[in-house]
Amino acid sequence: MSFWEYANPKKFMETSSWLLPWVAIGSLLCLVVGLIWGFFFTPDDFRQGSTVKIIYLHVPSALMAINAWLMMLVCSLIWIVRRHHVSALAARAAAPIGVTMTLIALATGALWGQPMWGTYWAWDPRLTSFLILFLFYLGYIALWEAIENSDTAADLTSVLCLVGSVFALLSRYAVNFWNQGLHQGASLSLDKEENVADVFYFPLLVCIAGFVLLFVALVLIRTRTEIRARRISALRARQRLNDTSPSATPKEA
Amino acid sequence: MPDLGKYADAVLGSYAVSIALIVAIVALSLWRSKRVKAELERVETETSGQANTR
């Protein structure tokens, strides 16, 4: 069986219909367990106090904000190279979820920044590149809405996605590129020395799993909706064509 | 409820904003899915009805 079979809308609808409930249940379980564990059963940090509890929302949402755009990038490349409609529709479906994740990361970052840095906002490299990523998300959604022809919209938004990927990667690595600003380095690392302490690390992993599964569940729901909306447009176009074709006009007696 | 001390506003505010945004995107996605599904069923009935009358 080939991966490209899922580019067939019928196959995608079949597979996603049985996959969706499992992903949704997994997401709900991980989010409930991870957030309750993190909020109620982890200690305060010796420096940051109780604000460390914001990590269970801030890190997973920031991670998904960047990865949602990277998923859109892969889908856009598939659209550009292979012209599979499902991939273009999946990219379109992911954008509102990505913008929500970016907004959560920006809001929780600001609320965390105020007590720790003394300000809600600073023109720090990571914060600024994240704000630009947020604006790219808005532009991407607006471009899809502005163009009536779905193939043209998919072409143009794919190009926008390629350009925006620079900022998605920049927001991930800004701390490494410019060793300045308020934002600290990555909270998660393969190097155990750089990682957050185990007591915060495990509930954080559960929350990240919850956010990843939530993203997948929402992408599946929204892609299914986009496929259905596309079918409505196709049926209406066919209906219009039938109405205006000569065979549709009644014969005179 | 854990004692959040002087940072209670920041922590509770973060959770409130995040949960509200997550609930909003889930509700919007489900609402649109339901609406489009109903619309597709209506259009399919319409078009199949038209095809039968020809």
Side-chain angles (χ1 to χ4, degrees):
Chain A
M1 197 176 84
S2 161
F3 168 77
W4 300 112
E5 274 185 37
Y6 296 100
N8 178 332
K10 195 168 177 290
K11 178 77 182 168
F12 180 87
M13 293 298 270
E14 277 171 14
T15 311
S16 59
S17 72
W18 68 259
L19 189 64
L20 187 54
W22 296 104
V23 179
I25 291 168
S27 159
L28 191 66
L29 273 177
C30 287
L31 282 177
V32 169
V33 170
L35 290 177
I36 289 177
W37 185 0
F39 189 84
F40 291 99
F41 302 107
T42 57
D44 289 353
D45 181 63
F46 76 100
R47 245 190 320 218
Q48 304 191 45
S50 63
T51 61
V52 74
K53 294 182 193 298
I54 300 175
I55 201 173
Y56 308 111
L57 294 163
H58 182 71
V59 171
S61 58
L63 201 74
M64 288 322 298
I66 298 167
N67 287 311
W69 192 276
L70 295 182
M71 175 252 166
M72 286 158 58
L73 171 68
V74 172
C75 289
S76 300
L77 287 173
I78 292 173
W79 165 254
I80 290 169
V81 176
R82 298 190 68 135
R83 314 298 286 179
H84 289 316
H85 286 102
V86 171
S87 68
L89 296 177
R92 182 183 190 178
I97 312 163
V99 84
T100 308
M101 295 294 167
T102 315
L103 207 53
I104 293 174
L106 285 170
T108 53
L111 286 166
W112 199 354
Q114 213 289 325
M116 291 301 107
W117 302 335
T119 178
Y120 286 108
W121 182 261
W123 294 102
D124 161 283
R126 179 172 267 189
L127 271 67
T128 309
S129 53
F130 232 88
L131 180 66
I132 297 171
L133 179 66
F134 176 68
L135 297 176
F136 262 97
Y137 267 120
L138 294 184
Y140 182 91
I141 294 168
L143 195 56
W144 261 111
E145 297 298 325
I147 299 166
E148 208 170 316
N149 183 298
S150 63
D151 283 7
T152 312
D155 286 338
L156 294 177
T157 51
S158 296
V159 174
L160 182 68
C161 189
L162 290 178
V163 178
S165 300
V166 175
F167 289 95
L169 290 173
L170 213 57
S171 50
R172 170 69 184 82
Y173 295 106
V175 176
N176 307 16
F177 292 155
W178 298 282
N179 196 17
Q180 58 186 26
L182 290 170
H183 204 288
Q184 80 278 12
S187 303
L188 298 175
S189 167
L190 292 174
D191 183 353
K192 205 168 162 40
E193 292 296 309
E194 288 181 19
N195 239 341
V196 291
D198 283 355
V199 69
F200 306 119
Y201 180 69
F202 293 111
L204 179 58
L205 281 188
V206 179
C207 287
I208 289 173
F211 270 77
V212 171
L213 291 173
L214 175 69
F215 174 74
V216 174
L218 286 173
V219 166
L220 290 178
I221 292 171
R222 298 183 72 94
T223 308
R224 287 167 65 81
T225 305
E226 294 300 337
I227 290 171
R228 287 190 178 119
R230 193 179 141 80
R231 174 142 176 82
I232 292 172
S233 304
L235 285 173
R236 283 205 175 125
R238 196 185 300 167
Q239 204 174 11
R240 276 197 299 273
L241 202 68
N242 286 341
D243 290 346
T244 54
S245 68
S247 60
T249 54
K251 283 182 185 171
E252 284 179 24
Chain B
M1 182 78 177
D3 178 22
L4 301 171
K6 58 182 176 177
Y7 302 128
D9 288 351
V11 177
L12 294 177
S14 295
Y15 276 75
V17 168
S18 305
I19 290 168
L21 283 170
I22 289 171
V23 168
I25 187 73
V26 170
L28 267 175
S29 304
L30 291 176
W31 173 75
R32 184 160 180 262
S33 164
K34 202 176 160 186
R35 201 169 53 90
V36 171
K37 196 175 175 182
E39 175 77 0
L40 177 60
E41 277 168 15
R42 197 179 59 78
V43 173
E44 274 179 337
T45 317
E46 249 177 51
T47 49
S48 65
Q50 249 181 18
N52 289 338
T53 54
R54 293 239 163 96

